[in-house]
Amino acid sequence: MKDNQKLKNRRFFLLITLLFFTSYTTFKTFKKVNYQDIFIVGSELFSIEDIVANSSLNFPTSLIFVKTTYIEKELKKNLSLKNVSVFRQIFPFGLKILIQTRTPIAYGERIFKGEKITGFIDEDGFFINQKYSDQVNLKKIASKVYGWEENFRETLSTILNYQKYNDVEFITITFSPNGFLTLEEKSFKTILLGFNPKIIENQLQIINDIKNQMKGNNILEKIDNIDLTEPNNPKIKVFKP
């Protein structure tokens, strides 16, 4: 009988404890979050003001009503982040924001609403506003990108990654307002690629092949431009003395 009574008392205690924590947790989720309840992890580049200015967060607001998934999408887009996760938490109370920044590998410029915006480009071709870029390794940056637009991103990523593993070094990558692509290679100067992003890999391979074939030949210094708008019919223009 005594053992049964002890078991009942233990169960009763556990039930009361569970109800207490459930009530406490429910109370906490409805508690209002404010500025001091935001915890940013993973980067020192961003302030709470940056998070608020680039999302739909309004304070004070109940923790349970914070739309974490929607805010993640806003921050990832507006701050050019590689990844971001927003968590509601009870202990400690508030919002925990985990941030993963993009690594700039090229200088970049874009036109937005008629205004020139300067920043950087990562290996995936994403534009990073200068204010929100991790500039630790900027001394290694050699390429410059002009005329960045979202629809050029995949082409740009292909170019930037190609030069990492091949014997080419693109000094400038320029997209004209109508989308015409021009490269300036360290040895070749101007290379005309045109409008077709579907043939970019073929064009890059031709550039690499031509450079390897001409390596050690002073004709490289005499080349004015290479026209690869039609890869099957490349045209090389040389300086005329």
Side-chain angles (χ1 to χ4, degrees):
M1 291 292 292
K2 290 183 179 180
D3 290 339
N4 288 337
Q5 186 62 40
K6 287 181 179 180
L7 181 59
K8 288 180 180 180
N9 290 341
R10 188 176 299 128
R11 287 175 177 174
F12 178 75
F13 175 77
L14 290 174
L15 179 60
I16 293 299
T17 302
L18 178 62
L19 288 173
F20 171 79
F21 277 106
T22 301
S23 299
Y24 179 79
T25 301
T26 302
F27 168 75
K28 278 288 190 178
T29 58
F30 281 95
K31 183 180 177 181
K32 292 186 181 296
V33 180
N34 219 317
Y35 285 88
Q36 67 271 17
D37 303 312
I38 306 298
F39 307 97
I40 302 172
V41 180
S43 175
E44 298 180 356
L45 288 173
F46 305 97
S47 65
I48 295 175
E49 288 73 19
D50 292 326
I51 299 298
V52 174
N54 288 280
S55 72
S56 55
L57 272 173
N58 289 308
F59 296 114
T61 187
S62 296
L63 181 65
I64 196 171
F65 294 131
V66 175
K67 299 177 180 178
T68 55
T69 302
Y70 185 69
I71 291 169
E72 287 170 354
K73 292 179 179 179
E74 290 180 316
L75 293 175
K76 188 173 182 179
K77 178 182 178 181
N78 296 336
L79 298 178
S80 301
L81 298 174
K82 192 173 186 66
N83 201 13
V84 57
S85 300
V86 180
F87 300 97
R88 304 184 194 94
Q89 59 182 31
I90 304 300
F91 306 104
F93 174 79
L95 286 175
K96 185 177 182 180
I97 302 177
L98 300 179
I99 287 176
Q100 183 181 4
T101 59
R102 297 186 179 277
T103 302
I105 62 171
Y107 169 83
E109 288 185 5
R110 63 178 298 199
I111 302 297
F112 183 70
K113 294 182 179 180
E115 180 183 354
K116 183 175 77 173
I117 308 296
T118 60
F120 301 93
I121 311 294
D122 81 335
E123 65 179 4
D124 296 318
F126 282 93
F127 187 90
I128 313 166
N129 192 298
Q130 188 170 9
K131 180 181 178 182
Y132 303 127
S133 60
D134 185 353
Q135 302 182 28
V136 174
N137 297 314
L138 289 189
K139 292 181 180 179
K140 300 178 182 179
I141 289 179
S143 299
K144 297 180 180 180
V145 179
Y146 300 101
W148 183 96
E149 290 185 17
E150 176 65 33
N151 57 316
F152 301 147
R153 187 178 59 76
E154 290 187 13
T155 300
L156 183 53
S157 177
T158 300
I159 296 170
L160 291 172
N161 283 283
Y162 187 86
Q163 71 175 356
K164 288 197 305 183
Y165 305 106
N166 294 277
D167 188 26
V168 289
E169 184 177 344
F170 300 116
I171 307 302
T172 63
I173 304 166
T174 304
F175 296 94
S176 69
N178 64 357
F180 191 96
L181 174 59
T182 304
L183 304 181
E184 181 184 349
E185 206 275 335
K186 188 175 182 180
S187 300
F188 285 146
K189 300 182 176 63
T190 303
I191 305 170
L192 308 176
L193 298 187
F195 298 100
N196 190 354
K198 294 181 180 179
I199 60 174
I200 185 64
E201 292 185 4
N202 186 26
Q203 290 171 317
L204 293 172
Q205 185 61 53
I206 292 172
I207 295 170
N208 193 56
D209 290 344
I210 293 175
K211 186 170 183 179
N212 286 332
Q213 291 170 12
M214 295 185 175
K215 191 176 293 184
N217 191 327
N218 60 8
I219 193 174
L220 283 174
E221 301 174 1
K222 299 178 181 180
I223 293 177
D224 183 26
N225 67 66
I226 299 176
D227 187 343
L228 294 178
T229 53
E230 297 179 19
N232 293 328
N233 185 29
K235 300 173 184 176
I236 300 177
K237 182 180 179 181
V238 297
F239 286 109
K240 294 182 179 180

